[in-house]
Amino acid sequence: MATTEGFCADGFEPVRDALEKQLESGEELGASICVTVDGEPVVDIWGGHTDQDRTTPWTEDTIVNVFSITKTMTALSALLLVDRGLLDLDEKVAHYWPEFAANGKADIEIRHLLSHTSGVSGWERPMELADIYDHDSAVARLASQAPWWEPGTASGYHALNYGHLVGEVIRRIDGRTLGRFFADELAGPLGADFHIGTGPEYFARIAPLVPPPAVEFDMATLDQDSILVKTLTCPLLDYERTSDPEWRQAEIGAVNGHGNARSIARLQSIVSGGGVLDGKTWLSPDTVDAIFRQQADGIDLGILTPLRFGIGYGLPHAQTAPAVPDGRVCWWAGVGGSFVVNDLDRGITFAYAMNRMAPGLIGSDRADAYLGAAFGAVA
């Protein structure tokens, strides 16, 4: 059996067993899992390797690109401003960012950005991946274009531009970029090794991603003007580019956060703790309640998957995320399998980060196995 490092509190050994089983089978290359209860870690384990030749061990301090888990950090940053009375979820985006009112977007509200219901789920063509590294240019283009559907009527996953939209609002209010605000107000104070915009000093600790097998389909058969195609191809996310220094250092608050399970769980324990962590109130009860204001429930227009969205997070969905428990729970996943769940009923945060990507857009069999073991231990 493959071995892992770190610790599991009594009763949580099935989580370690599940990770060791996946490592032994070869399904998992390298990964970390962390579970907190009332803000305190009860599982903090890691194992495997950072390279496909299995010559470099995954260590306590290994970090990895966790894709859309980054969105939960962007949302948490916005919720801090909500709690301070500087951002109103029901205010128009253009109140903070006047240029955004162009082309029929004057009535889009902040809650629409945070719940993927704004109608602006991507950029108009032409748009290359490198173009999103230039925040000023990318947000100017978003401000000038029209929504692709009636805002507020449905979700359309803001796959790559979520952090540009929410981050620009944060910058208009606070003056700092999203990555700087997040580092100064959250990651730094909490000692969390998570970065939106990852400097070269961290590169040696980053585990390169192993992309999933390519999905073979004929793009020509798809409606090129559909919300699905425009959302996922304007621009197209190229996994091979995620090792480029330019990708790592850009502040892409939708998809290029780098961290590990420990840092994810540390930060998101603010939410599972009802806004309180380490004896400090980070978010008031009213702000935490706002997360659970359902904004959409149905087939998402951007990825054609059934989803429920609150403010900044997904809400439990038996079909799309069967391993996520019901109740006062919010969650999200990164493409390839990374996962975070905040269970406020039980004060639990679960976090998982890995480098071998599984196929599909949301979750994986591996993530479900670890979730099942973690929540089974507290059932």
Side-chain angles (χ1 to χ4, degrees):
M1 178 69 76
T3 59
T4 57
E5 296 186 69
F7 76 93
C8 287
D10 290 347
F12 285 88
E13 294 88 354
V15 182
R16 184 193 296 276
D17 293 343
L19 177 56
E20 291 183 347
K21 179 180 179 181
Q22 296 292 338
L23 289 167
E24 181 71 21
S25 73
E27 289 296 312
E28 196 77 85
L29 178 57
S32 59
I33 299 173
C34 187
V35 181
T36 62
V37 177
D38 298 330
E40 295 297 326
V42 293
V43 175
D44 184 4
I45 57 175
W46 58 91
H49 296 83
T50 64
D51 62 318
Q52 293 193 76
D53 293 333
R54 291 180 166 81
T55 59
T56 306
W58 186 295
T59 71
E60 180 178 8
D61 295 324
T62 297
I63 59 175
V64 68
N65 191 160
V66 294
F67 290 115
S68 288
I69 299 298
T70 316
K71 292 180 174 73
T72 67
M73 306 304 176
T74 297
L76 193 57
S77 299
L79 288 170
L80 281 185
L81 292 180
V82 171
D83 205 67
R84 295 170 185 175
L86 299 173
L87 180 61
D88 185 341
L89 293 170
D90 299 310
E91 181 59 270
K92 306 292 192 291
V93 175
H95 174 78
Y96 309 98
W97 178 8
E99 299 92 329
F100 190 78
N103 244 326
K105 302 194 302 304
D107 291 332
I108 294 175
E109 299 174 7
I110 295 298
R111 63 188 176 92
H112 297 140
L113 299 186
L114 284 162
S115 62
H116 306 269
T117 61
S118 75
V120 186
S121 59
W123 285 269
E124 295 288 357
R125 300 185 185 92
M127 194 71 179
E128 300 299 326
L129 188 62
D131 294 334
I132 73 175
Y133 304 168
D134 183 339
H135 179 86
D136 289 350
S137 173
V139 299
R141 290 184 59 168
L142 292 171
S144 68
Q145 68 186 55
W148 293 343
W149 70 92
E150 183 181 349
T153 59
S155 72
Y157 191 47
H158 295 16
L160 294 182
N161 69 346
Y162 188 85
H164 290 79
L165 293 168
V166 178
E168 183 61 13
V169 172
I170 289 172
R171 185 170 73 158
R172 295 296 177 115
I173 293 169
D174 179 80
R176 285 173 286 181
T177 65
L178 169 62
R180 186 74 266 147
F181 181 91
F182 170 77
D184 291 346
E185 300 290 339
L186 287 164
L190 286 170
D193 189 13
F194 195 102
H195 315 272
I196 303 175
T198 306
E201 65 270 28
Y202 302 104
F203 286 3
R205 296 197 287 112
I206 296 175
L209 293 168
V210 179
V215 177
E216 298 295 333
F217 63 91
D218 185 0
M219 278 291 294
T221 64
L222 301 176
D223 179 359
Q224 299 302 296
D225 290 322
S226 68
I227 295 169
L228 167 71
V229 170
K230 290 200 295 183
T231 295
L232 296 182
T233 67
C234 298
L236 182 67
L237 178 57
D238 181 350
Y239 301 134
E240 300 294 341
R241 298 285 296 279
T242 60
S243 289
D244 293 350
E246 295 81 7
W247 167 272
R248 291 173 171 177
Q249 293 180 86
E251 293 184 13
I252 309 172
V255 288
N256 86 329
H258 286 72
N260 50 32
R262 183 186 312 107
S263 60
I264 296 166
R266 173 72 171 154
L267 289 152
Q268 292 298 319
S269 290
I270 291 174
V271 178
S272 63
V276 177
L277 181 61
D278 294 349
K280 176 180 176 179
T281 299
W282 297 81
L283 301 174
S284 68
D286 286 347
T287 302
V288 173
D289 287 346
I291 293 170
F292 298 94
R293 287 175 53 187
Q294 182 173 296
Q295 302 295 304
D297 183 5
I299 302 297
D300 183 89
L301 302 177
I303 57 176
L304 300 184
T305 298
L307 290 169
R308 290 176 64 219
F309 281 113
I311 299 292
Y313 294 81
L315 302 180
H317 196 292
Q319 181 178 348
T320 301
V324 173
D326 283 331
R328 195 168 159 81
V329 175
C330 60
W331 67 283
W332 201 240
V335 64
S338 56
F339 221 97
V340 64
V341 177
N342 293 313
D343 183 338
L344 283 73
D345 292 330
R346 288 172 280 194
I348 294 172
T349 290
F350 166 93
Y352 159 58
M354 77 301 135
N355 59 345
R356 183 189 293 284
M357 298 175 65
L361 292 175
I362 295 177
S364 68
D365 290 343
R366 282 176 270 155
D368 286 354
Y370 307 144
L371 272 165
F375 283 96
V378 295

